[in-house]
Amino acid sequence: MAEKTDAQSPAPHVADSHDLIRVHGARENNLKDVSVEIPKRRLTVFTGVSGSGKSSLVFDTIAAESRRLINETYSAFVQGFMPTPARPEVDVLDGLTTAIIVDQQRMGADPRSTVGTATDANAMLRILFSRLGEPHIGPPSAYAFNVPSVRASGAITVERGNSKAVKATFTRTGGMCTHCEGRGTVTDLDLTQLFDDSKSLNEGAITVPGYKGGGWNHRLYSESGFYDPDKPIGKFTEQERHDFLHREPTRMKIAGINMTYEGLIPRIRKSMLAKDKEAMQPHIREFVERAVTFTTCPGCDGTRLGEGARSSKIKGISIADACAMEIRDLAEWVGGLSHPSAAPLLTALRQTLDSFTEIGLGYLSLDRPAGTLSGGEAQRVKMVRHLGSSLTDVTYVFDEPTIGLHPHDIQRMNDLLLRLRDKGNTVLVVEHKPETIAIADHVVDLGPGAGAGGGSVCFEGTVEELRAGTTVTGRHLDDRARLKDTVRKPTGTLEIRGASANNLRDVDVDIPLGVMVVVTGVAGSGKSSLVHGSIPAGAGVVSVDQSPIKGSRRSNPATYTGLLEPVRKAFAKANGVKPALFSANSEGACPTCNGAGVVYLDLAVMAGVAAPCEDCEGKRFQPSVLEYRLGGKDISEVLAMPVAEAREFFGAGEARTPAARAVLDRLADVGLGYLTLGQPLTTLSGGERQRLKLAVHMAGKGGVYVLDEPTTGLHLADVEQLLGLLDRLVDSGKSVIVIEHHQAVMAHADWIVDLGPGAGHDGGRIVFEGTPADLVAARSTLTGEHLAAYVGA
């Protein structure tokens, strides 16, 4: 037996000394030769004003290099099929570990992608029902709405001396509803949007875009010979109407040309409805949105599952019933099940469902389409995958994980971040909320300003050192808004009666007009359902949300806001040439990349790759166009300017353009002074998209502005600027309704509508309406308690 000595323990192993991620000389985007050392297995928060370079350092440098190096571990054969991202602009980057990025990108909009399929929950439920469901209908695939049933028969030839054919039958039982193909909804065309039945074809009865009189699409129907083109469609016989709307493809000659005639409805389904709506031209998209109605599938009642899958039950509950339950109720039901053959499965399923509740998503259901989740909800759903992971020494990267969370829920999110850290992982968080900054082991503050004014490390150290420092974040960390001494008087009311969308419980509420109203409550309490589902988006109502801006990857702030029009005219006037030369979508475009500035390589199995165009070096224009100047700058240099710099440029001197300056002033007002004019819209965050839309709508005639969490992505110092902007809107005679969790916005409101008391079926009721001062005095709701603590009442 070996003897234990009292000798000192050996010196630490050299392998244990790698406890830092070292970044030296980072120059991605606006970073100015940044050098930082980030402790491993700790929680590090990166903060700074919007546009200061946080994402450039965390996502575009550290996480991007980690992913690039992981790609190099695959075989040369596999790498041949993969994109080869460029190495980030950095001198030294070592100590990296595998990076898992948990961002706010919306999850896939495919209707077959749900909360259940995006996590392991749906797969585990299917296995559970295949084991315990009565009657037993088949393997787990029999309960999957993504798997169709297949039956096939054929012959297999076996070579054994003389050839011998063996009959074989293949059967796969799937759970997909055959009527809606697992989508839960069926599309129907509104015939009144396709044609005017009081007119004849020759009088222009067809109102579908591209079917105007004289065109080939129109001639196909007017010269088909199946009906009289001068007869009103409303007077067609049953056969004529069938030929017009539904006839199967038929070959014929029209004006001596061979063509295929097909009924109007199948023709439109193939030519328009089969395409991605976002890729359509605006007028086609508008028609599709107007003409197509989505109705619940009558075959499966919206469950997406076939009759067999719905008939198999455990304790009277089918898998469709289970997926429709709120997750916390489902967790309770699963907790009541016990069966020796499924014990490990039940334990794993309970842990997954409990993770949803811990993360503040217990109000969701597993059949909720993933595309309907907000950015914050999508990020938290992705977190569920990692909470039960066995991996350690991984770098988790989070992008504002508190977005969409009520102050009551932020503490739970903080606990989850600390749990990931305590498992031995490095957690990097980009964040503005002081509640999350407070739990950091290490803080990196970037700035001091945004865009060209940022890109430097202003501070590294502990939270206490940050609080005592002089940086913008340190000075504002303990900012607390005061309740207003007086509130504005309403000029009218917007009546909402019997609101019952989603979880709302027949809500009646009067929203005052002419003032700033904040609608608040815990996540899932029914705020968005009340505001977006009950306030008609009609005349005078401007809804400004965080949804993606429709447009191509060529779109940028200059094109979206209409800024490019006066800029092109100013360049054309100064140089005596056509304005079209200064559009990257028109005559002045680089012919190699067609004015995109990058060449896209679309890969069938992976994300596409964009490489800068080698001819124009990303400038998007022909060399001859770049010879024309305005105020000493060419058009590509102007598009590379941040908004703040462009304001000065177009505000005075030779380049003075009042129309451009007016647009730029509105962009600066909403806190987007750091955005470059030519930055692709696809790269903007949800909060940036919302503020860009707000800047555009500020020039409109809207009377009621509805905003959805406008503080998303805003630094503590920028919230004050946003409140000033909202005040100016109200003072100019507008009504502002804001869905918001930020206590500074609540404190600044004239009127608060608080929903709750909980989320999902525990919410959907008005628990308070009145002034912020009354809410603080009453402290009768969770919001009231947190607001009182925030203002120090």
Side-chain angles (χ1 to χ4, degrees), residues 555-637:
S555 302
N556 53 50
T559 58
Y560 181 72
T561 59
L563 170 68
L564 196 59
E565 192 64 27
V567 170
R568 286 166 52 205
K569 288 179 179 174
F571 264 94
K573 187 176 179 182
N575 294 281
V577 292
K578 291 190 297 185
L581 282 175
F582 303 100
S583 170
N585 297 326
S586 188
E587 294 181 24
C590 164
T592 305
C593 62
N594 292 323
V598 291
V599 177
Y600 289 96
L601 175 64
D602 285 323
L603 303 173
V605 294
M606 301 187 72
V609 182
C613 173
E614 293 182 0
D615 284 8
C616 67
E617 297 177 343
K619 293 183 178 177
R620 306 176 65 186
F621 294 90
Q622 298 174 22
S624 57
V625 174
L626 299 180
E627 293 174 8
Y628 300 117
R629 295 184 170 266
L630 175 69
K633 294 189 180 291
D634 63 44
I635 184 71
S636 71
E637 290 172 330

Side-chain angles (χ1 to χ4, degrees), residues 714-731:
L714 277 186
H715 186 267
L716 298 160
D718 297 325
V719 172
E720 198 174 330
Q721 183 184 6
L722 176 72
L723 292 175
L725 169 67
L726 298 180
D727 274 342
R728 290 202 299 278
L729 277 174
V730 175
D731 293 340

Side-chain angles (χ1 to χ4, degrees), residues 43 358-359 383 387 402 405 408-423 427 435-436 439:
L43 174 62
E358 285 177 43
I359 214 163
M383 270 186 87
L387 288 173
T402 58
L405 286 183
H408 173 68
D409 298 317
I410 289 177
Q411 184 56 51
R412 285 195 292 189
M413 173 58 71
N414 286 350
D415 292 342
L416 292 167
L417 294 173
L418 293 172
R419 254 177 61 191
L420 283 173
R421 177 202 66 185
D422 293 344
K423 281 174 64 177
V427 181
E435 297 98 324
T436 300
I439 65 164

Side-chain angles (χ1 to χ4, degrees), residues 555-558 639 674-684 688:
S555 302
N556 53 50
L639 290 175
Y674 60 89
L675 277 191
T676 55
L677 304 184
Q679 182 174 339
L681 294 187
T682 49
T683 64
L684 301 187
E688 287 169 336

